[in-house]
Amino acid sequence: MRAVAYKTPQPITSDTSLIDVDLPMPEASGHDLLVEIRAISVNPVDVKVRAHSAPPADQLKVLGWDAAGTVRAVGTDVTLFRPGDEVFYSGVISRPGSNAEFHLVDERIVGRKPTSLDFAAAAALPLTSITAYEALFDRLKVMDPVAGAPRTILIIGGAGGVGSIAIQIVRALTDLTVIATASRPETQGWVKELGAHHVVDHSKPIASQVAALGLGAPGFIFSTTNTDSHIGDIVEAIAPQGRFALIDDPKALDIVPFKRKAVSIHWELMFTRPLFGTPDMIEQHKLLNKVSELVDAGKIRTTLSEIVGPINAANLKKAHMMVESGRMKGKAVLAGF
């Protein structure tokens, strides 16, 4: 089968940073589905792994987690799907990725593709939807009010992949007022389209802009990017006893200033459940099905912003460059081989 892989971590501009390869066809067993890949999207995790994670000597590493496709075969323990089902999912970081014609994935982290979306539009959603959903409901517990705080959430990096879907999930499933950050006219317009009630510019001090809205200190803050640059504003802006979640990888993060406000701090990594095989990993199957229902009901839209082209090394390099630019609006998708 055709796939895209790499042998050594390199800058994306290198000729061999990603290469077209031919690999053996995988076989489904246990809880695995064999999925024929129809579309994929690229996330910051793809860029981070490609740049820093070396496969064993003389071996190839296939990246890619977001995927949409059709089930072609199932393992003996599979009960949730059958051949012919159209699915979407984001896999797990410890297994070969979805940048290939066929891919193995555990059924318990797979959802049914929204019937109203084509494969490309669906492939933009899984990783960011799982991340946002878990951050909001499992980590921040936004349905549990913070005493004395308004029902308000601040989402830092509202125009990125996770921010774009988080805004929509909050609007679809909660009564929270959404403040999102964006710094350019096009990204500010994007987050407003997605449902943000208020937009502030994260290239300027955030806390003072939030205070100027007159809503009160938000009980919830969700940071999707550049947390270390905004940490002072986050400490200043959040309500006493508020809850703060982040998903990026600051080189250093001083959380001591949060102590005075007794703020709880939560890391979200959507790979945790499948990586450790937690007893509740099937929750990702359930939440993806919920997202699919919300899409088909017209309550959530895809965050696809550009189809780069078919799945090959040259187009994947373009998509990696787009993500590395830090100026993405929504998600970049590749479709077909």
Side-chain angles (χ1 to χ4, degrees), residues 37-244:
I37 299 298
R38 301 290 298 277
I40 60 171
S41 68
V42 177
N43 295 278
V45 63
D46 297 71
V47 170
K48 293 174 186 175
V49 174
R50 189 213 76 244
H52 302 291
S53 178
D58 298 323
Q59 293 190 26
L60 295 165
K61 188 174 184 68
V62 178
L63 298 172
W65 289 280
D66 268 337
T70 304
V71 177
R72 292 305 179 203
V74 300
T76 55
D77 297 329
V78 169
T79 61
L80 301 174
F81 298 95
R82 61 185 180 183
D85 287 343
E86 295 181 349
V87 297
F88 73 146
Y89 61 90
S90 61
V92 60
I93 200 166
S94 57
R95 300 185 70 176
S98 58
N99 295 347
E101 285 187 278
F102 294 88
H103 185 230
L104 293 177
V105 61
D106 192 299
E107 63 169 339
R108 292 166 290 186
I109 58 172
V110 175
R112 297 189 179 277
K113 183 183 77 66
T115 58
S116 59
L117 297 183
D118 62 18
F119 288 102
L125 289 170
L127 186 146
T128 54
S129 294
I130 296 171
T131 300
Y133 199 104
E134 290 185 347
L136 293 167
F137 298 106
D138 296 337
R139 314 299 172 226
L140 289 175
K141 299 188 182 300
V142 295
M143 303 307 288
D144 181 11
V146 173
R151 294 285 292 154
T152 302
I153 185 169
L154 169 63
I155 299 175
I156 297 174
V162 174
S164 293
I165 195 67
I167 292 168
Q168 298 185 75
I169 290 175
V170 171
R171 290 301 311 272
L173 298 179
T174 82
D175 62 351
L176 291 168
T177 296
V178 179
I179 307 168
T181 80
S183 61
R184 292 174 283 134
E186 60 267 36
T187 53
Q188 291 173 349
W190 171 259
V191 299
K192 289 177 181 176
E193 286 180 26
L194 296 176
H197 295 93
H198 305 278
V199 183
V200 299
D201 185 348
H202 54 232
S203 70
K204 303 173 182 177
I206 294 173
S208 58
Q209 295 177 77
V210 171
L213 295 173
L215 303 172
F220 308 105
I221 297 182
F222 181 23
S223 180
T224 69
T225 186
N226 294 319
T227 298
D228 46 356
S229 299
H230 303 304
I231 195 69
D233 277 305
I234 294 168
V235 172
E236 182 180 347
I238 198 165
Q241 301 186 96
R243 302 182 202 124
F244 166 52

